[in-house]
Amino acid sequence: MRDLAPRLPSSPGFWRSPLRGPWFTSVLGLVLLAGITVLFVTGLLSYAAYNPDLSPVNDKTPDKGILGFYLFAWPTDPPWLYRLTQGVHVTLGLVLIPVLLAKLWSVVPRLFTLPPARSLAHALERVSLLLLVGGALFEFVTGVLNIQLDYLFPGSFYPLHFYGAWVFFAAFVAHAVLKAPAALRNVRRRRARAGRDPDGTPAGREPDDGLRSPRPDPPTVSRRGALWTVGGGSLLLLATSAGRSFDGPARATALLAPHGGAEPGGGPNGFQINKTAAYAGIDAAETREDAWRLTVVGRTGTVRLSRADLLRLPQHRAALPIACVEGWSTSDQWWRGVRLRDLAALAGFDDGPPDLLVESLQRRGAFRSGALRANQVADPRSLLALSVNGETLSADHGYPARIIVPAAPGVLNTKWVARMTFGELA
């Protein structure tokens, strides 16, 4: 039995790495404390950007209840707001993957300690740890799959990631409250050069909390070296993913991103897209100039406008980016078309534009329609765009007409617009 004991994960002798210890784990934990807090905040902002309490078509989590307590009307200034918050959310999530994996590796002996609960406080800690580990893996895995447009999990990404984030963050806060003070003490203890810490442990010496192996193997790298390795992995992920938020040569460096390759063609329409016309099921016969009509519904009834009719209305230009939930974005593109507030006036809302429901010719995929708040419709940069960068919209960029609104998520910049309904949304 004595020989078999070290072969069991519950035996301290099973875990032989000399790297494990309170200081190593504490440094990783403090990095995650800061990083995951930023991830959670930017994730909540991303959810708010969809204006989910505006209309059912925008709300992919209809049973959110009190979890939507913080929601607010998403602003249009600065116009790059969503580009920044979602770019940080996705890029930081990728960068933290090596840190998360190293942290889980460093504490794996605790997952197998026996007895499972020595006290009520220890039992609560173990439960929070289980939810923390499971929640972290779930959030990071679903997030990475969404970035890669690989929806291998059952159900919709939006509610899974949203509810999972709240469960994970609740466990994360509970764990941080329990462990953050000790983590700070461990880091300070390592820096101490003489004397004793308040708990009586000699300075520079780590207390034994079940992480250090009683029979460690000979070290092949120092703990600082291990941290540099983890940091190098994070920098590599940063270098191979951050380019998705930039144009030009930098985009080609985003090797891990589905939108990190070559630009989709050249010329004025040669910038990133998410859904192609073929993917959305757009029939070219429907978008021919002699066939397509825009239906505008409002206070004074229904108006049907051809593309030629729209081109006869006052045309305006706006330099705006496109930013998508997957984390990619473009720099400002020059859009030209009819202001949404002018179309609202055409529909009988001369006293100020109301909310707007936009419906697309799109047949497949999510967000075939989207709702915009009155403040978004009223912004003079919000357009029903007919051209971009001096050229007629391509089919993949939404010909014959598409929405472009400052600071709105890409999916709310509806392409292949067929119908616009101004007024109070049910």
Side-chain angles (χ1 to χ4, degrees):
M1 293 298 293
R2 185 176 299 176
D3 293 334
L4 293 175
R7 300 180 186 177
L8 299 176
S10 57
S11 170
F14 181 87
W15 308 101
R16 303 293 297 276
S17 174
L19 294 180
R20 290 189 178 93
W23 180 79
F24 184 73
T25 296
S26 296
V27 171
L28 295 171
L30 291 174
V31 172
L32 288 174
L33 176 62
I36 287 177
T37 300
V38 174
L39 278 183
F40 187 68
V41 171
T42 52
L44 292 183
L45 290 176
S46 176
Y47 182 64
Y50 284 77
N51 287 319
D53 57 349
L54 173 63
S55 169
V57 300
N58 286 14
D59 190 2
K60 301 303 178 183
T61 53
D63 299 321
K64 61 184 178 296
I66 62 171
L67 298 181
F69 69 92
Y70 72 96
L71 292 173
F72 56 95
W74 189 250
T76 56
D77 276 309
W80 40 260
L81 178 60
Y82 189 74
R83 185 184 186 193
L84 172 65
T85 59
Q86 192 62 12
V88 168
H89 182 75
V90 172
T91 303
L92 180 59
L94 291 172
V95 167
L96 287 178
I97 288 176
V99 184
L100 175 67
L101 294 178
K103 177 67 161 61
L104 294 178
W105 173 86
S106 74
V107 300
V108 69
R110 286 181 180 165
L111 300 179
F112 296 94
T113 56
L114 296 175
R118 297 189 298 269
S119 64
L120 178 60
H122 185 243
L124 292 174
E125 179 187 340
R126 295 297 296 275
V127 171
S128 73
L129 189 62
L130 180 63
L131 292 174
L132 184 69
V133 172
L137 292 175
F138 179 83
E139 287 299 290
F140 277 80
V141 168
T142 55
V144 169
L145 289 174
N146 182 63
I147 294 169
Q148 298 298 329
L149 306 177
D150 290 329
Y151 301 106
L152 305 179
F153 41 83
S156 171
F157 167 77
Y158 296 96
L160 289 174
H161 204 66
F162 176 76
Y163 296 126
W166 279 104
V167 172
F168 164 63
F169 197 71
F172 177 75
V173 170
H175 189 75
V177 170
L178 290 169
K179 292 298 183 180
L184 290 170
R185 285 197 303 271
N186 289 330
V187 173
R188 292 193 189 111
R189 181 180 292 117
R190 182 67 177 238
R191 293 178 178 174
R193 295 183 178 178
R196 289 180 173 271
D197 292 315
D199 61 359
T201 304
R205 193 160 142 202
E206 296 177 304
D208 183 9
D209 65 349
L211 293 177
R212 302 178 71 183
S213 174
R215 297 188 303 117
D217 288 330
T220 57
V221 64
S222 68
R223 287 174 182 169
R224 290 187 183 277
L227 288 177
W228 278 111
T229 301
V230 173
S234 291
L235 288 176
L236 179 63
L237 286 173
L238 176 64
T240 54
S241 60
R244 76 179 73 206
S245 297
F246 302 93
D247 290 328
R251 190 177 291 275
T253 65
L255 303 177
L256 301 182
H259 303 279
E263 297 293 323
N269 277 274
F271 56 95
Q272 291 304 129
I273 58 173
N274 193 4
K275 293 179 291 191
T276 65
Y279 171 84
I282 303 301
D283 185 348
E286 293 180 288
T287 61
R288 290 200 319 260
E289 193 153 344
D290 61 343
W292 178 83
R293 294 293 183 272
L294 171 68
T295 302
V296 180
V297 181
R299 183 182 287 164
T300 55
T302 300
V303 178
R304 289 171 57 81
L305 302 169
S306 67
R307 185 176 162 87
D309 294 331
L310 291 169
L311 287 170
R312 282 191 288 269
L313 295 173
Q315 303 291 298
H316 300 272
R317 298 175 73 217
L320 296 172
I322 295 179
C324 200
V325 68
E326 288 93 7
W328 66 267
S329 61
T330 74
S331 60
D332 287 353
Q333 311 295 326
W334 278 100
W335 307 90
R336 188 171 186 269
V338 183
R339 284 175 172 167
L340 297 186
R341 66 185 190 184
D342 291 346
L343 290 171
L346 185 66
F349 293 93
D350 299 294
D351 51 346
D355 298 335
L356 168 64
L357 175 65
V358 184
E359 298 172 78
S360 172
L361 292 173
Q362 177 182 340
R363 288 181 172 80
R364 292 192 295 270
F367 288 97
R368 292 182 289 274
S369 58
L372 299 172
R373 287 191 181 276
N375 68 301
Q376 294 174 310
V377 178
D379 193 292
R381 297 164 295 182
S382 297
L383 304 176
L384 177 69
L386 306 173
S387 63
V388 62
N389 297 325
E391 185 176 279
T392 299
L393 292 170
S394 68
D396 288 341
H397 278 300
Y399 179 86
R402 69 166 296 162
I403 298 293
I404 187 72
V405 173
V411 291
L412 294 184
N413 291 306
T414 308
K415 297 192 287 188
W416 314 291
V417 176
R419 185 181 181 92
M420 302 174 67
T421 304
F422 291 92
E424 185 176 346
L425 303 180

